[in-house]
Amino acid sequence: MSAPQPSAEALVSVSNIHTHYGKSHILHGVTLHVGAGEVVGLLGRNGVGKSTTLKTIMGLAQPSQGEVKFAGRAVTGLPAHKLARLGMGYVPEDRRIFRFLTVMENLRTGLDRRGVTAQRKQELLDKVFAYFPVLAERRHQPGGTLSGGEQQMLAIARAMMLEPRIILLDEPTEGLMPRMVSQIAQIIGALHRDGVAILLVEQNVPLTLQASERIYIMEKGMVRHHCAASDINVNDEAIRQYLGV
Amino acid sequence: MSAILEIFAAIPYDQVLIQTVNGIVTGMILALVASGLTLIFGIMDVVNFAHGELFMLGAYIGVVVLATTGSFWLALLIATLIVALLGAALQIVTLRPLLGRDPLTTILATFGVSLVLQNYALWQFGPVARKIQEPITGSFQLLYLEYPWYRLLIAALSAAIIGALWLFLKFGTWGIWIRAATQDRVMAQAMGIPVPWVHTGVFAIGAGMAAASGVLFGPLVGVTHAMGLDWVLKAFIVVVVGGMGNLGGSIAAAVFISLLEAYASIWVSPAQAVIVSFVVLILTLLIRPTGLFVPTPK
Ligand SMILES: Nc1ncnc2c1ncn2[C@@H]1O[C@H](COP(=O)(O)OP(=O)(O)OP(=O)(O)O)[C@@H](O)[C@H]1O
Ligand SMILES: [Mg+2]
């Protein structure tokens, strides 16, 4: 299938990026886009380069070729901290909570920015504590003492502190029990209603198809399939071909 | 039984008291030098071989400012600020380009800087030791000794500076940034923390603290271009014994080693007492290489 053209109003558009780790060539020309407020799924087997795609968008891995645009502006090669301040939130697959910082301090890493009034900070905190009441209870506890599910919530809440226009969400349900998984699905829905775009990397195909508007499927460092989430179901041929075991 | 009593009777309690005070005084100043070193290592994985020269440069700037203004406190302040700025410049020019490279490159870079600074000082100020006049000259009676108040003041000031650093790290936004970047540089950056500037800031803080200790300690030893060597060596031992990058551990180790050396000097000459710190270092590396004062390995 031919690579989809990024629409003019795409919030994030990635064109033909190639990324290497040392000598290994991981991404072989990935092209995709996410519209403002859109939830887009990115599927693929282990090791096909999904996380690397997110890292490249976030400025944590530098592509040797290709371009990343954010809100119409070329941002390829910008350091991650600038992208974060421009409104790109990142929730990595291993969560990467600051273990020795309290929950509150973890949130403050994104909240203490220039130009955020005390009132606005309080509103943002109230909002995430309403989404994740358990974080409010544990606000003075070191992040490393939280359970896996709580750490995942903290990782999402922390990204929300940046008031991002898009969140790059890497396998948020990995290793979580079913009740937590449905809670994460609800949060994705809530963020979507708030107008936050999400690029969702997941192994959980049903959840991805249900949460996303469009999906991309990757194989060997390339996007192989692209369609509306409603046009495909779990038993589809493409799913079986690229994701089946 | 009587043998034990004899041992207790043989302890010279007067000297133990005096050496306890001495150990705490040198321990606090050593803690001040070492905390800059450990802070820098913790966040950047850089072993700063120029730390002793920043200490020395602080002392020399103290000499110059004291000579022109006559104020010790002004000398302390100005030396701290100038060396902090110099530290920031050095970090930007020599270390920032090496971020993420082999640690050997940063060791060579800071070692080079230390040679340059040392020889600059030798060229500028000559080989003769300079003196910093202490701001208070009184003393009090500690048993049979006239003990200078200034020594206690050094300990108190060092403790105050370390305490201020702790508050800064604990409560300020910059403190949270520093701790976040120390734990996970990449994630800190993804949260919008300007990590390169945080590194520069930490290097400046460490350099300023080294300079402050140089000025504070100047009156006790005399200021020479090589005065940094002894201190930085000891500070390295403290940083390793306390657990690389662990601030609380470094402070505890500084006081611990200084007390041990002070007690040892009751029985052996001060020059031999220095061996104690190496013994502690070697034992630490053998028994608990992550550091004596680290509760749980990071
Ligand atoms: N830091 C690294 N250095 C070298 N190779 C790496 C590095 N990170 C990832 N790789 C390799 O790059 C390839 C793609 O990794 P990536 O993490 O992007 O895959 P993924 O699609 O996210 O897989 P998963 O579903 O397992 O998370 C893998 O073969 C992996 O081994
Ligand atoms: Mg991955």
Side-chain angles (χ1 to χ4, degrees):
Chain A
M1 168 172 240
S2 69
Q5 286 304 306
S7 54
E9 70 273 33
L11 179 62
V12 167
S13 70
V14 172
S15 335
N16 193 33
I17 50 170
H18 289 252
T19 302
H20 305 248
Y21 288 121
K23 286 204 180 78
S24 33
H25 192 168
I26 306 295
L27 298 187
H28 299 262
V30 171
T31 299
L32 55 81
H33 72 275
V34 182
E38 195 184 20
V39 178
V40 173
L42 184 56
L43 296 167
R45 287 203 185 92
N46 289 118
V48 297
K50 304 179 298 293
S51 298
T52 306
T53 303
L54 296 194
K55 283 180 194 158
T56 309
I57 296 173
M58 191 65 213
L60 298 172
Q62 296 305 329
S64 59
Q65 246 191 74
E67 189 183 51
V68 180
K69 276 185 161 176
F70 182 54
R73 171 180 168 193
V75 294
T76 329
L78 274 194
H81 66 266
K82 297 223 165 110
L83 288 164
R85 293 289 168 87
L86 287 175
M88 219 186 252
Y90 177 56
V91 180
E93 58 189 323
D94 38 6
R95 287 135 204 186
R96 298 180 86 151
I97 292 305
F98 301 114
R99 305 179 59 78
F100 300 102
L101 264 56
T102 64
V103 167
M104 196 61 191
E105 288 168 342
N106 266 280
L107 296 174
R108 281 182 63 189
T109 58
L111 196 58
D112 288 0
R113 288 171 281 136
R114 219 175 301 164
V116 187
T117 61
Q119 191 198 342
R120 183 73 192 131
K121 285 184 188 178
Q122 195 53 52
E123 285 167 14
L124 284 166
L125 285 173
D126 290 345
K127 189 163 149 188
V128 298
F129 287 153
Y131 279 173
F132 307 111
V134 66
L135 294 183
E137 274 166 45
R138 307 208 185 288
R139 69 175 82 190
H140 298 301
Q141 210 167 300
T145 64
L146 300 185
S147 75
E150 290 163 352
Q151 290 192 11
Q152 186 63 60
M153 293 179 192
L154 179 54
I156 296 174
R158 185 177 59 175
M160 287 169 66
M161 294 293 104
L162 293 166
E163 300 181 78
R165 300 179 65 188
I166 183 167
I167 296 182
L168 310 174
L169 199 49
D170 201 346
E171 302 203 17
T173 67
E174 191 191 13
L176 299 188
M177 28 180 231
R179 191 171 52 82
M180 286 284 189
V181 172
S182 59
Q183 200 172 347
I184 298 288
Q186 280 171 26
I187 292 302
I188 294 172
L191 287 168
H192 185 38
R193 281 191 296 282
D194 279 355
V196 180
I198 293 174
L199 181 53
L200 174 65
V201 168
E202 255 305 334
Q203 301 283 0
N204 183 332
V205 178
L207 180 140
T208 312
L209 294 183
Q210 177 238 314
S212 315
E213 289 153 79
R214 288 184 299 117
I215 59 153
Y216 292 91
I217 301 181
M218 284 182 74
E219 192 189 49
K220 292 187 188 142
M222 276 185 267
V223 170
R224 288 304 175 94
H225 192 85
H226 166 232
C227 64
S230 54
D231 286 352
I232 199 167
N233 66 56
V234 183
N235 300 314
D236 200 277
E237 180 55 31
I239 299 273
R240 201 167 311 162
Q241 183 183 350
Y242 296 116
L243 304 175
V245 262
Chain B
M1 188 63 204
S2 67
I4 295 173
L5 284 179
E6 261 172 55
I7 290 175
F8 274 103
I11 295 176
Y13 287 101
D14 51 343
Q15 291 191 43
V16 168
L17 174 68
I18 291 168
Q19 291 304 340
T20 303
V21 178
N22 275 342
I24 289 174
V25 169
T26 34
M28 287 317 295
I29 196 108
L30 186 56
L32 195 58
V33 182
S35 34
L37 204 55
T38 203
L39 204 60
I40 290 170
F41 178 81
I43 196 167
M44 285 181 249
D45 299 323
V46 165
V47 179
N48 179 21
F49 277 91
H51 209 68
E53 278 59 47
L54 297 169
F55 171 90
M56 171 272 291
L57 216 57
Y60 269 121
I61 295 172
V63 168
V64 173
V65 177
L66 186 57
T68 30
T69 67
S71 162
F72 178 86
W73 303 111
L74 205 58
L76 179 63
L77 186 71
I78 291 179
T80 305
L81 291 179
I82 291 182
V83 175
L85 284 178
L86 177 77
L90 279 177
Q91 196 275 340
I92 292 172
V93 175
T94 61
L95 293 174
R96 190 179 281 182
L98 299 178
L99 186 70
R101 297 262 206 99
D102 192 322
L104 187 62
T105 60
T106 60
I107 289 175
L108 288 174
T110 58
F111 189 66
V113 168
S114 89
L115 290 180
V116 171
L117 291 179
Q118 231 182 84
N119 285 289
Y120 166 76
L122 184 59
W123 169 71
Q124 179 74 40
F125 298 102
V128 182
R130 304 291 182 99
K131 178 100 183 91
I132 294 182
Q133 185 61 47
E134 53 266 64
I136 54 168
T137 47
S139 59
F140 64 97
Q141 202 69 34
L142 181 64
L143 302 178
Y144 46 82
L145 271 189
E146 285 288 320
Y147 206 86
W149 277 114
Y150 179 66
R151 285 180 159 253
L152 293 192
L153 182 68
I154 296 181
L157 275 177
S158 303
I161 296 174
I162 291 170
L165 175 72
W166 186 82
L167 289 175
F168 169 79
L169 287 176
K170 179 84 186 143
F171 296 109
T173 294
W174 259 79
I176 289 178
W177 286 3
I178 289 171
R179 284 183 292 141
T182 301
Q183 286 170 40
D184 188 335
R185 189 185 293 159
V186 170
M187 194 59 224
Q189 198 142 10
M191 284 308 297
I193 297 173
V195 172
W197 288 107
V198 174
H199 285 184
T200 306
V202 165
F203 205 87
I205 292 169
M209 287 172 71
S213 15
V215 179
L216 286 175
F217 210 65
L220 303 189
V221 290
V223 179
T224 69
H225 68 280
M227 74 187 288
L229 290 177
D230 277 356
W231 277 94
V232 81
L233 183 61
K234 255 199 203 142
F236 278 133
I237 294 177
V238 159
V239 168
V240 173
V241 171
M244 300 289 280
N246 179 310
L247 191 59
S250 292
I251 293 162
V255 175
F256 174 69
I257 287 182
S258 300
L259 278 174
L260 279 187
E261 272 189 21
Y263 293 140
S265 70
I266 297 176
W267 290 282
V268 300
S269 76
Q272 290 169 322
V274 177
I275 295 169
V276 169
S277 50
F278 290 100
V279 173
V280 174
L281 173 68
I282 291 166
L283 288 179
T284 304
L285 289 176
L286 284 177
I287 297 164
R288 217 185 137 97
T290 49
L292 279 192
F293 295 94
V294 185
T296 43
K298 240 205 227 182

